[in-house]
Amino acid sequence: GELDVVMHSTNRKACIVLIFLSVAYFLENFDRYILSISVIPYIDYSSYEYSVLAGPAFTIIYTVGGLLIALYFHSSTNGKPTSNIGNEKPALKLYVVAAATFLFSLAFTTTALAVTFWQQCIIRMVMGLAQSVITPFSTSIISDLFPPASKGAAFAIFNLGTYISFSLSLSLGLYIYDSYGWQAGYILFGVVGLLFAFVFPFLRLMIPKNSTNDTPSVYTQVDIIEDPEVSVKNPIINDRISSSEDKKEVMESFSGITGLNTPQSSSLLENMIKTLKNIAFKHWWDVPGVYTVSIAT
C-alpha cells in the first residue's frame, strides 16, 4: 500500500512527522465541518447568522491569512531553500504548525463557552486565520522531508485527513451531539487539538539533519551553465541528445518555464507575479473562458 511505499523509501522519523501532520489536518477539517452538525442553540441556522459564521467570517480570513503568513515566512527566511540551512527551516515550520494548531483548537474549545453571535464571529475569524496555516506549511514540511519517489504517497496519506474528518463529523460528531449535547464535541476535539499542539515542538528531533529533498530528481533537473556547451543532466534526455545544437534547441523549449536551475532565474514570487501580469495584461484573449468563469464566480 501507499504507507508501505513511504515507510520503505524514506526515513521512519519523517513518517512519524507525517502522521502528526495528518492528524492536525484531520482536526482542522473536523473542526470546520462540525459547525453544521453540532447546532449552536442561539444561532439561527435559517438566517444570515449561520451563513456569516460558515462563510465570510471564516473563509475570507482563511483565504487571505494563509497567503500573508506564508509570504511573511518566505521573506523572513530570505527564501532560502532547505539545503542551505539544514533542518532549521522544517523545524521552524513545525513551530508554526504547532502555534496554529494550538490557536485554532483553543478557539474551537471556546465555541462551547461563547454566548452571543458576535462572539462566535470572532471565534470563527481566529479559527480561519489559524487553520489557513496548516495546509501550506504541512505540505511544505512534507516536501522537505520526503524524496521524490515517495512524496506522492506521503501527500496522499496527508490528504486522507479531509475525507476521514468529513465522514466522522457526520457520524461521530452527530453521535456526540445527540448523546452529550452541542457543547461536548467542541470541547472534546478542542482539547485533543491542544494536546497535539504541545507535542509538535518535540517533532524537531524527528527531522533528519539533511533533508531527503536536498537530492535533486534526475528526471526533472536541468542545468544551464555559462559555457556555450549546454549540459542537460537527465539520463533519459542525454541518451537521445548528442550534439550541442540539439541540446540548445531542447533548452530553448524550456526557457519559458519558471523554476529552472539557471543563473538567470529570479525568485519564485517574482516569477509568479510576472506570469500573472502576462496573463492578465498581455495574453488574456488566449484564455477568455478563465476570465468568464472568474467574473461569474
Side-chain angles (χ1 to χ4, degrees), residues 228-229 241-252:
E229 181 76 18
I241 301 175
S242 56
S243 67
S244 176
E245 290 76 11
D246 290 338
K247 291 182 180 180
K248 289 182 179 180
E249 183 178 352
V250 170
M251 292 311 303
E252 287 176 358

Side-chain angles (χ1 to χ4, degrees), residues 54-232:
F58 179 87
T59 55
I60 293 178
I61 303 298
Y62 182 89
T63 303
V64 178
L67 176 62
L68 295 179
I69 293 174
L71 290 177
Y72 173 79
F73 181 85
H74 177 79
S75 62
S76 65
T77 56
N78 296 319
K80 295 179 181 179
T82 306
S83 57
N84 289 348
I85 50 180
N87 68 339
E88 178 182 350
K89 190 173 181 181
L92 181 57
K93 294 175 188 175
L94 277 176
Y95 294 148
V96 174
V97 173
T101 302
F102 177 84
L103 186 58
F104 82 70
S105 298
L106 181 63
F108 190 68
T109 304
T110 58
T111 301
L113 306 178
V115 294
T116 66
F117 164 73
W118 291 109
Q119 289 176 348
Q120 294 291 355
C121 282
I122 296 175
I123 290 173
R124 294 292 291 178
M125 292 172 66
V126 173
M127 285 182 59
L129 179 62
Q131 291 185 1
S132 67
V133 173
I134 301 298
T135 301
F137 278 80
S138 295
T139 54
S140 180
I141 293 171
I142 294 173
S143 295
D144 290 337
L145 298 183
F146 288 86
S150 59
K151 192 175 296 184
F155 281 124
I157 294 171
F158 174 76
N159 286 322
L160 285 175
T162 185
Y163 304 108
I164 296 176
S165 63
F166 180 73
S167 301
L168 288 182
S169 65
L170 297 176
S171 55
L172 180 60
L174 188 59
Y175 169 77
I176 294 175
Y177 172 72
D178 290 335
S179 302
Y180 303 101
W182 73 272
Q183 295 173 310
Y186 295 104
I187 295 175
L188 174 62
F189 287 93
V191 172
V192 171
L194 291 173
L195 294 177
F196 265 89
F198 285 110
V199 175
F200 269 107
F202 297 99
L203 294 180
R204 178 190 177 102
L205 303 176
M206 300 293 177
I207 298 177
K209 292 184 178 180
N210 293 317
S211 168
T212 55
N213 194 36
D214 295 341
T215 304
S217 172
V218 296
Y219 298 103
T220 57
Q221 183 188 14
V222 182
D223 288 347
I224 299 178
I225 56 178
E226 295 180 0
D227 191 273
E229 181 76 18
V230 179
S231 174
V232 181

Side-chain angles (χ1 to χ4, degrees), residues 23-72:
V23 172
Y25 190 50
F26 161 79
L27 291 172
E28 173 204 341
N29 285 276
F30 189 93
D31 294 357
R32 193 184 313 170
Y33 294 138
I34 201 173
L35 177 67
S36 61
I37 304 298
S38 187
V39 178
I40 302 174
Y42 54 84
I43 299 297
D44 187 355
Y45 277 63
S46 62
S47 71
Y48 73 92
E49 291 184 346
Y50 173 73
S51 300
V52 170
L53 293 179
F58 179 87
T59 55
I60 293 178
I61 303 298
Y62 182 89
T63 303
V64 178
L67 176 62
L68 295 179
I69 293 174
L71 290 177
Y72 173 79

